Amino acid sequence: MGDVYDGVFRTILNDCRQLVIPVINEIFHEDYTGNEKVEFSPNEHFLDQQDVADVKRITDTNFKILGKVVKKYHLECESGYPDGKLTIRLFEYDAQIALDEGKITKETLTVTFPNTAVLHLRVRKKTPDKMHYVIVTPGGTVRYDVPVMKVQTYSLDDIFNKHLLMLLPFYIFSYENSFPEYNSNVQKLAELEAEYKEILERLSALENQGKIGTFDRRTIIELSRDVIKETAQRYENVQKGVGGIMGGALIETEARKLKDEGRQEGRREGRQEGRQEGMVYAYYEMNMNTNEIASKVNLTETEVLEIIKKMGKF
């Protein structure tokens, strides 16, 4: 399950990388403008271990922000609860990241550790506000903190006011413990659906204001839907209700995109065909069967199957 959330986290960071800057400002109290260049480093590292083969470890992400000074950052997304092992894993990653770019000058090794933080998707009482490294060396002891961002503690207003849009795909975790109630209570589910409709409206407003692009908006919606699907997989009504809202928004976004492309090309047939293909794709991602899709897009089931094949799904 954690692999799904890690994948969502890496996707939004790599595809919408400027969205990480407000998160860095929030965690580390930086004052980046948001226009700085974000430069990613490889996230695969091989840890040297005596008498055994090197072990490959994959960090969630490590990158540099090229501001007035260049700073390295390492962010990890954690969907589990604290178990004492995360700190060890983080330090292993940090040490390897530092060694990867270490410099030797006249037998002097200089390594720079990244600024490291953890995004906790689930929170319990024992979830710390920060973690600590204490490194005891012959030359002295070094101690520093690893801050923890608790995603569930941020309200919708917090996320939009601080432009922490990177957290939106994980917003559903704030309601995870109440899924049984939402699944059985129509009124409560309607309230949750209304909140997600508000998310869509606020994203559209940001797009209209030029503060985010169409691609960023679509990516946030698509990844939000993926997290809802994974998190609420045992709660059918939550999946259909909230997940359906996000899926519907994807259909509208895809249709609008294809419509605009069709207008630029000036071909009515191409526009209609493209819109239908976009809708087939979106409905297929919502796990509808081919017969249901055919009835919704006014195509035969054979035509739907051909489109799905063209998408590489079969």
Side-chain angles (χ1 to χ4, degrees):
M1 185 181 294
D3 290 343
V4 172
Y5 306 136
D6 290 344
V8 167
F9 181 67
R10 293 192 188 106
T11 297
I12 196 166
L13 275 171
N14 284 279
D15 291 356
C16 311
R17 58 184 57 189
Q18 294 305 119
L19 297 183
V20 75
I21 295 179
V23 173
I24 292 299
N25 284 342
E26 176 73 9
I27 296 174
F28 294 102
H29 308 292
E30 300 281 11
D31 59 356
Y32 294 119
T33 65
N35 297 318
E36 292 82 4
K37 182 178 180 182
V38 180
E39 189 176 278
F40 281 84
S41 303
N43 65 347
E44 291 188 359
H45 304 280
F46 288 86
L47 307 181
D48 296 328
Q49 297 189 359
Q50 188 174 5
D51 299 327
V52 296
D54 292 350
V55 177
K56 183 171 76 171
R57 293 287 177 82
I58 299 178
T59 61
D60 276 354
T61 185
N62 69 96
F63 55 91
K64 298 174 183 175
I65 295 183
L66 311 184
K68 296 177 182 177
V69 297
V70 178
K71 289 188 178 183
K72 292 195 295 186
Y73 295 94
H74 168 208
L75 292 185
E76 288 286 323
C77 179
E78 180 61 41
S79 61
Y81 295 109
D83 60 3
K85 298 178 182 178
L86 177 60
T87 311
I88 296 173
R89 191 166 75 245
L90 283 176
F91 183 77
E92 286 180 336
Y93 294 161
D94 286 348
Q96 197 62 52
I97 290 169
L99 280 173
D100 285 347
E101 297 186 8
K103 296 181 180 179
I104 297 180
T105 305
K106 295 181 179 181
E107 300 307 315
T108 298
L109 171 64
T110 301
V111 293
T112 302
F113 275 64
N115 296 276
T116 300
V118 180
L119 274 69
H120 266 288
L121 305 183
R122 294 184 173 100
V123 178
R124 282 185 173 173
K125 289 183 179 179
K126 65 179 182 179
T127 304
D129 292 326
K130 60 182 66 175
M131 302 157 70
H132 312 281
Y133 290 162
V134 179
I135 307 169
V136 180
T137 77
T141 299
V142 176
R143 176 190 176 98
Y144 65 95
D145 298 331
V146 175
V148 171
M149 173 179 260
K150 300 176 182 178
V151 175
Q152 290 185 25
T153 64
Y154 287 85
S155 69
L156 206 55
D157 284 339
D158 291 334
I159 290 172
F160 279 95
N161 292 340
K162 296 182 178 183
H163 207 67
L164 303 175
L165 304 183
M166 199 186 83
L167 304 185
L168 280 176
F170 305 110
Y171 184 66
I172 194 67
F173 279 95
S174 297
Y175 297 97
E176 185 183 26
N177 292 335
S178 300
F179 278 171
E181 181 182 8
Y182 287 115
N183 202 60
S184 60
N185 188 317
V186 175
Q187 184 176 345
K188 293 293 292 184
L189 181 58
E191 292 173 4
L192 184 58
E193 291 172 354
E195 191 151 10
Y196 269 83
K197 289 175 182 177
E198 181 184 349
I199 289 174
L200 295 176
E201 291 170 359
R202 295 175 81 160
L203 284 173
S204 293
L206 290 177
E207 181 186 358
N208 293 335
Q209 295 163 14
K211 294 182 179 179
I212 61 171
T214 301
F215 178 81
D216 289 349
R217 174 179 174 270
R218 178 184 170 84
T219 300
I220 290 169
I221 295 171
E222 185 171 358
L223 295 178
S224 297
R225 182 204 57 187
D226 291 346
V227 173
I228 292 166
K229 181 179 179 180
E230 179 67 25
T231 309
Q233 58 183 296
R234 293 191 293 114
Y235 302 95
E236 183 179 1
N237 292 333
V238 175
Q239 281 239 34
K240 287 184 176 179
V242 184
I245 288 170
M246 305 312 276
L250 286 174
I251 293 172
E252 292 173 5
T253 302
E254 186 67 20
R256 185 180 64 183
K257 173 187 171 185
L258 293 167
K259 183 177 179 181
D260 289 344
E261 290 175 352
R263 280 176 176 166
Q264 292 172 4
E265 294 170 0
R267 296 198 298 268
R268 181 181 178 85
E269 284 188 13
R271 187 163 67 240
Q272 177 64 22
E273 180 182 350
R275 185 159 57 247
Q276 286 179 321
E277 288 186 1
M279 293 177 73
V280 168
Y281 175 79
Y283 283 129
Y284 183 81
E285 289 296 300
M286 293 170 65
N287 294 322
M288 287 189 181
N289 62 46
T290 53
N291 185 50
E292 291 175 321
I293 296 172
S295 66
K296 285 185 174 291
V297 297
N298 197 28
L299 293 173
T300 67
E301 192 169 2
T302 299
E303 290 171 328
V304 169
L305 284 169
E306 287 300 317
I307 293 173
I308 293 173
K309 287 179 181 178
K310 190 165 68 172
M311 295 187 302
K313 299 296 183 180
F314 285 164

